[in-house]
Amino acid sequence: MTSAGGHMESMSTGASKDGNRAGRNGWVNKASEGNNSPRTASEREEADRRRWRAFSVCLVAAFMTLLDVSIVNVALPSIRASLHATLSDVQWVLSGYALTFGLALVPAGRYGDARGRRNVFIAGLTLFTLSSAAAGLAPTATWLVVARLIQGAGAGILNPQVVGLVQYLFPPAERGRPFGMLGATVGISTAIGPLLGGVLIHLAGAQEGWRWVFYVNIPVGIAAVVLGWRLIPQRPREDRRCESLDPVGVALLGVGVVLLLLPLVQEQQWRGRAKWLLLVAAVVVLAGFVNWERHHARHSEPVVDLDLFRLRSYALGSLIGLLYFAGFTAIFFIYTLYLQSGLGYSPLLAGLAITPFALGSAAAAALGGRLVNRLGRPLVAIGLALVAVGLAGTVLAVHVVPGHSAPLATAVPLLVAGLGSGLVITPNQTITLSEVPPRKGGSAGGMIQTGQRIGAAIGIATVGSVFFAHLAGTGGRYSQAFQVALFVAIALILVALVAALTDIVVSHRGAYGSDAHSTEVHSSGARRSDGRPPKQRTTNHD
C-alpha cells in the first residue's frame, strides 16, 4: 500500500527478486519500503508521472459525477415542459440521483478496498456513461427518472475509488496536493454546474437543450474509461483480499440510508407528518447495523470499521463534512430558484450569477491543499468563518439591492464565500483521512461521502422548506424567502464551525497537558497534539 516513497498498486504480471514489479506498459513500480525505492532518478520520475496521470483520470470522472448533482437544477423547467413531467417526476430527477449515489458509496468503497479499485472504478464509470446516454434519450419522465437512479448508482460506485486511490498512490506527507485538486474539483463542479447547464440549454434550445446536459458526459466518459483502464494501476491477483464482503452489513446500511434519505428528498411531495416516521425506522435499522458490525468485526472484516470513529480526526471531520454540505449544497438550490423563478433569469444568466463562488473555491482549494499540513484544523475553521461571512454579505446585498441588480451586488460576497469553501472541503478531507490506513481508504472515503450526501439532503429539505414556507406566507416574495432561507444555511455552517473549534480547543488542551506541541504520530496512529495531519512511518499496508 502507500508508503513514504510513493508505493502504488501494481500493474504487474510478475515480480523481481527484490519485490519490484514491472508494469505491462513499461512503467516500473517498485516497493518503497526501506531501501527498495526506485534505483534511478528516471524510474522515480516515470513512476511519479504515472500516478499523476492516473489521478488526473480520476479527477475527470469525479468532476462529471459531481457536476450532475447541480447541472440539472437549471434544466428542470425545460425537462418539465418537454416531457410533460409532474412536480413529483421533477423532484425524483433531482433527488433520485442523490439517493442512489449515497446508497452505493460505502459498499462500493468496501469492495474496492478488498478486490482492487481499478475494475470497480471502470465499472462505475461505464454504468454512469451508459445511463447518461439513456437519460439524454429519455422519451418519458419515468424513463428519465430510472436513468437518473442508475446514473446515481454509477457515481456512487466510482467516487470512493477516487478517494481510495489517493490514499493508495500518495504517502501521507504528499496527499495535500491531490486532495487540494480533488477539493477544487468538488467545489468547481458543484458551483459551475448551473452555468454549464445554462450554456448548453442556451446553445441547443430551451425545448431539447436539457438533453445535452446528459449527452455531454458521453464522450468524456468513453475517453475516461479507455484512459482509466490503461493508466490506473491494477492490484495483483495475489494481493486481492478474499474475505467476506459482509452482505448483512451492506443490506442493513442500505435500508437505513434509504429510510433516512427518502423523507428528506421527498419533503415537498409527501404531505403530512407520517413520512417522518421513516426517520424513526432509520434510527432502529442503523442501530441494528452498528450492533451487527461490532459482532461481525470479531471474526471478519466489516463493511465499515467503526473503530475509525474513535479517531477524533475522522469522527469530527466526518461531522464537519456532513454539516458543511447541508449548508453548502442548499445555497445553489435556493439561489437558482430565486434567480430563475423570482427574477425571471434565463438558465445561462442564473449560472453566471453563481460563477464568483466557483472561481473563489477553485483558487482557495489549491492553496488549502498546500497549507493543510502546516496549519491543520484551524485552516478549516478559517474557511468556515469566511463562508459564513460571505453568505451574510450575500443576504445584506440582496436586502440593500433587491430586484434584477441583486446578482451584481452578490458577486463579491459570493467570491468570499467561495474562497472560504476552498479552505474547507480540501483541508477537512485531508485531515479526516490522515490517520486512515490506505487499505481502508475506499470504505472510509465512502462513509465520508455518504455523510456528505445525507448532509446535502438534510440541507435541501430544511432550507428548502423554510424557503417555500416563507414564499407562501409572503405571497411570492422571492427576495425575502431567499434571505430567510440563507440564514438557515448560515446556521448550519456555523454549527460546523463549532465542531472545528471544538477539535482545535481539545488539541491545544492535550498539547498543553503533555507539553508536546509538535509530538509526531506513533505507530498506533495517535493524533498529533497540534491538530495537524500526522506524519506516518513508512509502511507497506497491502
Side-chain angles (χ1 to χ4, degrees), residues 235-258:
R235 184 177 302 176
R237 186 175 297 276
E238 64 269 18
D239 290 344
R240 298 175 192 176
R241 308 200 302 272
C242 297
E243 71 268 11
S244 168
L245 295 176
D246 189 11
V248 175
V250 169
L252 287 172
L253 180 62
V255 172
V257 170
V258 169

Side-chain angles (χ1 to χ4, degrees), residues 18-63:
D18 61 359
N20 302 327
R21 300 185 181 276
R24 287 191 299 267
N25 298 320
W27 168 52
V28 178
N29 176 30
K30 304 186 183 212
S32 57
E33 199 170 7
N35 295 321
N36 286 334
S37 57
R39 289 170 297 211
T40 67
S42 61
E43 287 177 340
R44 289 194 296 269
E45 290 173 2
E46 176 61 21
D48 189 59
R49 283 196 297 268
R50 188 87 183 174
R51 66 176 180 172
W52 279 107
R53 289 171 188 162
F55 179 61
S56 298
V57 176
C58 294
L59 284 183
V60 170
F63 180 84

Side-chain angles (χ1 to χ4, degrees), residues 173-380:
E174 296 180 18
R175 288 179 196 155
R177 183 182 172 195
F179 273 134
M181 297 172 70
L182 183 58
T185 300
V186 173
I188 294 172
S189 61
T190 305
I192 208 172
L195 173 60
L196 182 56
V199 170
L200 291 171
I201 293 172
H202 178 75
L203 293 176
Q207 184 66 19
E208 297 294 321
W210 65 268
R211 298 184 184 275
W212 287 94
V213 167
F214 302 109
Y215 287 153
V216 72
N217 293 328
I218 299 173
V220 181
I222 292 172
V225 166
V226 173
L227 291 174
W229 186 263
R230 291 188 60 189
L231 296 176
I232 295 176
Q234 181 181 13
R235 184 177 302 176
R237 186 175 297 276
E238 64 269 18
D239 290 344
R240 298 175 192 176
R241 308 200 302 272
C242 297
E243 71 268 11
S244 168
L245 295 176
D246 189 11
V248 175
V250 169
L252 287 172
L253 180 62
V255 172
V257 170
V258 169
L259 291 173
L260 183 63
L261 289 179
L262 264 182
L264 297 173
V265 300
Q266 289 295 101
E267 196 275 334
Q268 291 297 313
Q269 277 62 48
W270 291 356
R271 302 298 179 182
R273 298 181 179 179
K275 61 177 177 282
W276 301 118
L277 292 175
L278 292 177
L279 296 182
V280 178
V283 171
V284 173
V285 173
L286 291 175
F289 165 75
V290 171
N291 288 330
W292 168 260
E293 291 298 278
R294 286 173 176 166
H295 168 75
H296 188 72
R298 295 171 188 166
H299 55 81
S300 188
E301 188 78 14
V303 67
V304 175
D305 184 358
L306 298 178
D307 286 341
L308 290 175
F309 290 96
R310 295 183 180 181
L311 300 172
R312 193 173 73 245
S313 59
Y314 187 81
L316 276 176
S318 299
L319 177 62
I320 291 169
L322 185 151
L323 292 168
Y324 180 67
F325 270 75
F328 163 69
T329 309
I331 297 166
F332 305 104
F333 175 63
I334 60 173
Y335 197 42
T336 301
L337 287 172
Y338 168 54
L339 294 174
Q340 288 190 265
S341 301
L343 301 182
Y345 272 45
S346 68
L348 177 59
L349 290 177
L352 284 171
I354 302 172
T355 302
F357 190 102
L359 295 175
S361 179
L367 178 65
R370 290 195 295 268
L371 294 178
V372 63
N373 286 330
R374 193 164 46 183
L375 299 180
R377 191 73 77 189
L379 183 63
V380 178

Side-chain angles (χ1 to χ4, degrees), residues 104-140:
L105 284 166
V106 173
R110 173 73 179 84
Y111 190 86
D113 286 344
R115 302 292 196 264
R117 298 185 178 98
R118 189 192 72 167
N119 291 349
V120 184
F121 176 89
I122 296 299
L125 182 55
T126 301
L127 186 63
F128 178 85
T129 304
L130 292 174
S131 56
S132 295
L137 293 169
T140 65

